[in-house]
């Protein structure tokens, strides 16, 4: 019964968190956002005392239930391991192995050091929730969108509006590469060795494993009933049960309770740990030779040089070129991020804000210092002042929750006019597109020739009123580079 309850809850969490990344309506986060905020590392970074306390108490009482129920990457590994057992036709393919304690501590130390130092490339690659988020946003979401568009095409032919088409595109090649490599590594390890990743590399597994050593309840082996068959060891995907010695390494046990149903003699139960035989660090010495793990993820992000003055203007029969990203001296952090430093220190690069941005202005950064973290770009849209979706879905507190009213008063950057690209000066025609669409009223058209009211009008930017929404940059007809673009601010301010 315990195992069935665990499986049901695990599937609920896995489905709920997956839907957060796949949601095309933008409304599921109202009911499911708490699942993302219950993830351990995001909760710690967000200083979510309630969530952290709940997870610590849960682990202290029942062991690493978080790893088998709440963590989506852990549940994913269980599914892969289960499929492996079905494919091979072997239910009992594991065996007890000594823990690679030294490797776990080294990885945990590197993880903590990278958090403190703000080296995002290290902790974002091995943090379990972020790893799962990259796989969902870069691999599953495009497939989900294409499937949706297929249904939308069929519905349109039937005069139905049950489905509607959405744009499907890859936001970042480095993220795609990292997602593919992560998926392959996790799948291969889970297919052959079950929860090896959780018990050697995952920093959350190491932290909760330490607490789990002292949990109130745990797996208990009754020596009087055990006949030493070793089936429990062969069925344990954490490879933490020494059936012959009647010992359990609670630091690696993920509380899946598979072993209880495996034992034919009723010798294993989940009960209070008093009097049970538990492996300790003194009982089991580290054996790194049996737990070597190689993770080589080469992610190279290259940014093309954005220079040039040649452009093609919208209109007529001319080919309309796509917008190109201007050479910003300072990247633009999403509204609610407070600033670039706060975003860098708290963001786990899970991609949830990027996948849920309804305006398609968030991109994963290719900068090595902020790899995969969100930055704002306006080739496909602009950051509408009434939208605060990214701040509502962020589970790590990297983007603080703000209201639509607060958003209109946050300045994330300011517009900069490029005289050489402006249509009135290059083509001799009236424009004013930027001024007409500026929601903050920060742009006005003034005569290009001072004192000559009949001369063509050019934009003048009031940097104090501009909120950096990017409407001017996105809607500027100049191609491939806009005649006006937004320069980011390292620290946001209220206007």
């Amino acid at each position: 019964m315990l195992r069935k309850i665990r499986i049901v809850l695990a599937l609920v969490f896995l489905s709920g968190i997956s839907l957060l990344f796949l949601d095309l309506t933008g409304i599921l986060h109202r009911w499911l956002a708490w699942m993302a905020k219950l993830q351990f590392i995001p909760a710690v970074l967000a200083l979510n005392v309630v969530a952290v306390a709940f997870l610590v108490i849960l682990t202290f009482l029942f062991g690493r239930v978080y790893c088998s129920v709440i963590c989506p990457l852990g549940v994913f590994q269980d599914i892969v391991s289960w499929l492996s057992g079905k494919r091979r036709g072997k239910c009992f393919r594991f065996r007890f192995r000594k823990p690679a304690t030294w490797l776990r501590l080294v990885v945990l130390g590197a993880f903590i050091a990278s958090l403190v130092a703000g080296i995002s490339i290290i902790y974002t690659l091995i943090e379990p929730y972020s790893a799962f988020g990259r796989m969902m946003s870069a691999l599953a979401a495009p497939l989900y969108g294409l499937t949706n568009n297929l249904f939308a095409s069929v519905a349109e032919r039937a005069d139905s509006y049950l489905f509607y088409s959405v744009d499907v595109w890859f936001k970042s090649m480095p993220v795609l590469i990292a997602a593919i490599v992560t998926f392959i590594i996790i799948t291969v390890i889970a297919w052959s060795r079950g929860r090896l990743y959780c018990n050697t590399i995952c920093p959350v597994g190491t932290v909760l494993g330490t607490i789990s050593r002292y949990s109130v309840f745990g797996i208990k082996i009754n020596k009087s009933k055990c006949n030493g068959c070793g089936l429990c060891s062969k069925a344990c995907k954490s490879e933490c049960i020494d059936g012959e010695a009647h010992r359990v390494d609670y630091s690696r046990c993920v509380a899946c309770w598979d072993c209880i149903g495996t034992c034919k003699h009723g010798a294993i139960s989940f009960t209070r740990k008093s009097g049970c035989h538990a492996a300790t660090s003194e009982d089991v010495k580290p054996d790194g030779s049996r737990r070597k793990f190689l993770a080589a993820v080469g992610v190279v992000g290259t940014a093309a040089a954005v220079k040039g003055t040649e452009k093609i203007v919208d209109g007529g029969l001319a080919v309309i070129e796509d917008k190109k990203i201007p050479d910003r001296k300072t990247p633009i952090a999403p509204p609610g991020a407070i600033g670039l430093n706060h975003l860098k220190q708290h963001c786990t690069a899970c991609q949830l804000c990027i996948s849920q941005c309804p305006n398609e202005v968030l991109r994963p950064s290719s900068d090595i210092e902020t790899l995969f973290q969100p930055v704002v770009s306006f080739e496909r849209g602009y950051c509408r002042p009434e939208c605060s979706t990214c701040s509502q879905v962020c589970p790590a507190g990297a983007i603080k929750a703000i209201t639509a009213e607060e958003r209109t008063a946050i300045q994330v950057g300011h517009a900069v006019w490029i005289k050489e690209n402006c249509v009135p000066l290059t083509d001799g025609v009236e424009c004013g597109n930027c001024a007409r669409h500026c929601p903050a009223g920060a742009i006005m058209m003034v005569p290009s020739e001072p004192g000559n009211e009949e001369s063509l009008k050019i934009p003048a930017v009031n940097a104090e009123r501009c909120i950096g929404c990017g409407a001017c940059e996105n809607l500027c007809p100049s191609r491939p580079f806009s005649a006006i673009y937004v320069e980011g601010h390292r620290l946001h301010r209220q206007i």
Side-chain angles (χ1 to χ4, degrees), residues 184-265:
I184 293 174
I185 290 177
I186 295 296
T187 301
V188 169
I189 293 176
W191 186 271
S192 59
R193 292 287 299 277
R195 286 298 192 104
L196 177 62
Y197 179 88
C198 299
N199 287 327
T200 53
I201 299 300
C202 180
V204 178
T206 302
V207 172
L208 296 184
T210 302
I211 301 174
S212 184
R213 289 181 182 273
Y214 310 100
S215 61
V216 177
F217 297 91
I219 296 298
K220 181 176 180 180
I221 301 177
N222 190 327
K223 294 180 64 176
S224 62
K225 294 183 179 180
C226 179
N227 68 345
C229 66
L231 288 181
C232 54
S233 299
K234 297 177 182 178
C236 179
K237 57 198 172 192
S238 295
E239 300 180 323
C240 67
I241 300 179
D242 187 352
E244 296 180 359
H246 308 100
R247 296 183 183 278
V248 180
D249 183 357
Y250 291 114
S251 69
R252 291 184 289 158
C253 178
V254 295
C256 67
W257 304 311
D258 290 346
C259 55
I260 298 178
T262 300
C263 183
K264 306 300 182 182
H265 306 282

Side-chain angles (χ1 to χ4, degrees), residues 101-331:
T101 306
W102 66 271
L103 180 57
R104 299 170 73 182
L105 295 179
V106 168
V107 174
L108 178 61
F111 181 84
I112 295 175
S114 66
L115 278 177
V116 175
I119 307 176
S120 62
I121 189 174
I122 296 178
Y123 64 79
T124 57
L125 284 175
I126 62 177
E127 200 277 314
Y129 171 69
S130 298
F132 181 81
R134 282 192 296 273
M135 291 192 297
M136 292 302 301
S137 62
L139 302 179
L143 294 177
Y144 185 81
L146 291 174
T147 303
N148 170 83
N149 290 349
L150 177 62
F151 282 110
S153 177
V154 175
E156 183 180 3
R157 296 177 182 276
D159 293 328
S160 172
Y161 296 95
L162 183 62
F163 297 92
Y164 59 92
S165 297
V166 295
D167 289 337
V168 179
W169 56 291
F170 292 109
K171 298 179 175 66
S172 170
M173 185 56 66
V175 169
L176 177 61
I177 295 173
I180 293 174
V181 173
T182 301
F183 177 80
I184 293 174
I185 290 177
I186 295 296
T187 301
V188 169
I189 293 176
W191 186 271
S192 59
R193 292 287 299 277
R195 286 298 192 104
L196 177 62
Y197 179 88
C198 299
N199 287 327
T200 53
I201 299 300
C202 180
V204 178
T206 302
V207 172
L208 296 184
T210 302
I211 301 174
S212 184
R213 289 181 182 273
Y214 310 100
S215 61
V216 177
F217 297 91
I219 296 298
K220 181 176 180 180
I221 301 177
N222 190 327
K223 294 180 64 176
S224 62
K225 294 183 179 180
C226 179
N227 68 345
C229 66
L231 288 181
C232 54
S233 299
K234 297 177 182 178
C236 179
K237 57 198 172 192
S238 295
E239 300 180 323
C240 67
I241 300 179
D242 187 352
E244 296 180 359
H246 308 100
R247 296 183 183 278
V248 180
D249 183 357
Y250 291 114
S251 69
R252 291 184 289 158
C253 178
V254 295
C256 67
W257 304 311
D258 290 346
C259 55
I260 298 178
T262 300
C263 183
K264 306 300 182 182
H265 306 282
I268 303 178
S269 60
F270 184 75
T271 183
R272 287 185 65 90
K273 288 164 57 176
S274 57
C276 64
H277 299 273
T280 63
S281 57
E282 291 77 17
D283 297 324
V284 181
K285 296 181 180 180
D287 182 9
S289 62
R290 294 185 179 181
R291 288 295 184 93
K292 290 184 179 179
F293 177 82
L294 179 61
V297 181
V299 181
V300 180
T302 58
V306 284
K307 292 185 178 181
T309 58
E310 187 175 353
K311 57 184 176 55
I312 298 178
V313 180
D314 292 3
L317 299 178
V319 176
I320 301 177
E321 294 187 9
D322 292 334
K323 287 277 189 177
K324 290 188 177 181
I325 303 175
D327 187 11
R328 308 183 205 276
K329 296 179 180 178
T330 304

Side-chain angles (χ1 to χ4, degrees), residues 55 95 129 191 260 287 353 385 393 459 461:
L55 295 176
R95 63 185 177 88
Y129 171 69
W191 186 271
I260 298 178
D287 182 9
C353 60
V393 302
V461 180

